[in-house]
């Protein structure tokens, strides 16, 4: 008898930040994600399509390890150009999984990696 999956999908992805105001401004102004919740400097949530992107505040000298959030785009070149106009610096490396997708990486103000992915076909 098949069992139910142990998970229901991604609920949210979060990054740690030492400067909540700066991080929220970056995601709202540069990536244009709507802010849906903010609890001072401890927590903020932004709507990123079907998944929430959260920011978790910390006062520690070192940020805990973070993952990578990947945003889907229709046209990688156009998306990169728009973000460069908003002050984003890309790492200069674009990759392609032949026949499947192209992607590139940049970082938020705390150094967390962010990728853009354009699926081919």
């Amino acid at each position: 008898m098949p069992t139910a999956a142990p998970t229901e999908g991604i609920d949210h992805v979060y990054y740690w930040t030492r400067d909540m105001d700066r991080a929220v401004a970056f995601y709202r102004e540069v990536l244009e994600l709507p802010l849906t919740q903010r609890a001072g400097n401890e927590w903020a949530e932004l709507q990123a399509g079907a998944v929430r992107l959260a920011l978790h505040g910390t006062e520690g000298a070192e940020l805990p390890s973070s993952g990578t959030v990947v945003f889907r785009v229709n046209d990688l070149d156009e998306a990169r150009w728009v973000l460069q106009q908003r002050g984003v610096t890309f790492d200069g490396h674009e990759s392609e999984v032949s026949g499947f997708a192209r992607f590139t990486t940049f970082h938020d103000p705390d150094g967390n990696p962010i990728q853009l992915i354009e699926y081919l076909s």
Side-chain angles (χ1 to χ4, degrees):
M1 168 188 308
T3 60
T7 63
E8 295 179 10
I10 296 173
D11 180 69
H12 69 278
V13 174
Y14 73 90
Y15 281 150
W16 293 92
T17 183
R18 283 190 226 66
D19 187 334
M20 186 65 72
D21 291 333
R22 180 184 68 179
V24 167
F26 175 82
Y27 285 98
R28 287 185 72 196
E29 296 168 14
V30 176
L31 296 182
E32 297 183 1
L33 300 180
L35 180 67
T36 60
Q37 180 181 340
R38 172 113 187 232
N41 290 323
E42 299 299 316
W43 187 259
E45 292 182 9
L46 301 106
Q47 197 61 47
V51 176
R52 288 171 294 136
L53 174 64
L55 301 167
H56 194 312
T58 184
E59 294 179 9
E62 294 291 323
L63 291 176
S65 297
S66 292
T68 301
V69 68
V70 181
F71 290 94
R72 184 178 191 159
V73 298
N74 290 323
D75 184 323
L76 186 64
D77 298 322
E78 179 180 341
R80 182 176 36 239
W81 184 86
V82 168
L83 293 174
Q84 285 172 328
Q85 300 311 301
R86 296 176 183 178
V88 170
T89 301
F90 286 84
D91 68 4
H93 183 252
E94 180 181 307
S95 298
E96 181 173 333
V97 177
S98 184
F100 180 68
R102 298 169 49 214
F103 55 94
T104 190
T105 305
F106 61 102
H107 296 85
D108 77 2
D110 288 295
N112 294 306
I114 301 170
Q115 288 186 335
L116 301 179
I117 189 166
E118 174 191 351
Y119 290 99
L120 306 173
S121 69

